[in-house]
Amino acid sequence: MSRSVVGAMPMTIYADDIYRPVRPVLGKAAAWISKIHLTTLNDKLKDMTPQYIQRSRNEIVQHAKAIQYIIHAFVTEKQDLSEESIKETHRILATGVPISVREGPDIPPEDYGGVYRIIIVGASSCNFTVSKFVPAKMQEMCRQLKEELAATEEKMTIDPFSIAAKYSLEFVQIHPVQDGNGRICRMILNAILCRYAGIIVPIGEHVEERKEYIGKHQEAVQRGNERTWRSLTV
């Protein structure tokens, strides 16, 4: 299936262009080809730049690859949810997705993907772990998770919802990376639920769900209480 585009530059756009990365060799022309095709699928994209559309595509693709990696490692291969595993998940997530900076150049993914942040970050009234303490906090979190899972498996009794809530909340309170903490937090939550409860919990599919998620997140972080966070999964 193809579509002819009427204009100064004759071209043919194929239906599978949406799945292809913008080819560097074609530069802006390829970007606009992708944009023209995408706007035929979704009129809301017509005011977006080709770079924005391509970035959004990369975010979706890399998110799928990252969740696939962590599920395969932790659920299928029964590996520990280690620092190395979490870092690799984040590196995959960040690939092809630079951080947009309001003033100054974008931060390339290779500069922040899979590495702990060295800057101070905060959100609303939430203060996260000071950067110099992040490595120690992450090491402690992963050690505690490993020990708790080993103990519950030995007893053959486990509450996967409480454990998933506890450690995904702890991760987001540490906020170890410069960008993508929320997405990795939800991947950790779902990796634990998938392995021990056999389910995946989609969070924020709809506007009202996203509002509830943000509200629960802020409340849980401020109180340091995983019960609030747990309520999102049950």
Side-chain angles (χ1 to χ4, degrees):
M1 175 182 177
S2 65
R3 183 188 302 273
S4 296
V5 179
V6 178
M9 183 173 63
M11 62 184 76
T12 301
I13 300 174
Y14 293 92
D16 63 348
D17 277 347
I18 187 172
Y19 302 109
R20 298 174 184 167
V22 173
R23 298 173 180 81
V25 68
L26 295 178
K28 292 183 179 179
W32 281 107
I33 289 173
S34 294
K35 178 174 181 178
I36 292 169
H37 179 73
L38 284 168
T39 54
T40 65
L41 302 178
N42 188 338
D43 187 60
K44 294 180 181 179
L45 296 175
K46 65 182 180 181
D47 295 324
M48 304 298 180
T49 65
Q51 291 77 14
Y52 177 88
I53 294 172
Q54 184 65 22
R55 176 192 169 90
S56 298
R57 175 194 181 279
N58 287 347
E59 286 181 341
I60 294 170
V61 171
Q62 294 308 127
H63 194 286
K65 289 181 177 180
I67 188 68
Q68 183 182 40
Y69 169 81
I70 196 171
I71 291 293
H72 179 77
F74 184 69
V75 180
T76 306
E77 298 295 329
K78 300 294 190 291
Q79 297 176 13
D80 295 331
L81 202 54
S82 63
E83 288 185 82
E84 292 73 20
S85 177
I86 292 172
K87 283 182 176 181
E88 178 61 14
T89 301
H90 183 254
R91 186 196 65 78
I92 295 170
L93 181 70
T95 300
V97 185
I99 299 176
S100 297
V101 180
R102 184 172 299 178
E103 296 181 1
D106 290 349
I107 300 173
E110 54 270 20
D111 285 359
Y112 79 93
V115 296
Y116 293 146
R117 61 179 168 84
I118 56 174
I119 61 172
I120 297 175
V121 296
S124 185
S125 59
C126 304
N127 293 317
F128 304 116
T129 300
V130 176
S131 56
K132 68 178 181 179
F133 298 124
V134 164
K137 283 287 188 180
M138 284 298 297
Q139 184 179 37
E140 181 183 8
M141 186 198 84
C142 292
R143 178 185 58 79
Q144 289 179 345
L145 174 59
K146 180 179 179 179
E147 291 176 355
E148 185 167 349
L149 289 176
T152 55
E153 287 178 359
E154 185 177 350
K155 295 177 182 178
M156 299 184 67
T157 175
I158 185 172
D159 181 353
F161 297 97
S162 292
I163 292 178
K166 175 181 178 180
Y167 287 98
S168 60
L169 175 60
E170 186 168 345
F171 176 88
V172 84
Q173 286 177 316
I174 298 171
H175 235 65
V177 294
Q178 192 167 346
D179 187 59
N181 291 283
R183 284 166 285 171
I184 297 295
C185 156
R186 294 186 288 276
M187 289 185 201
I188 290 173
L189 181 142
N190 272 310
I192 295 172
L193 290 179
C194 184
R195 178 166 168 175
Y196 293 101
I199 63 171
I200 295 289
V201 178
I203 298 174
E205 284 188 285
H206 308 290
V207 174
E208 290 304 316
E209 287 183 1
R210 288 194 288 273
K211 289 180 180 178
E212 181 185 8
Y213 169 79
I214 292 171
K216 294 287 187 182
H217 165 261
Q218 292 176 341
E219 182 181 351
V221 170
Q222 289 169 358
R223 294 184 178 183
N225 184 354
E226 66 263 19
R227 287 186 179 180
T228 302
W229 200 239
R230 185 183 189 277
S231 66
L232 287 170
T233 66
V234 295

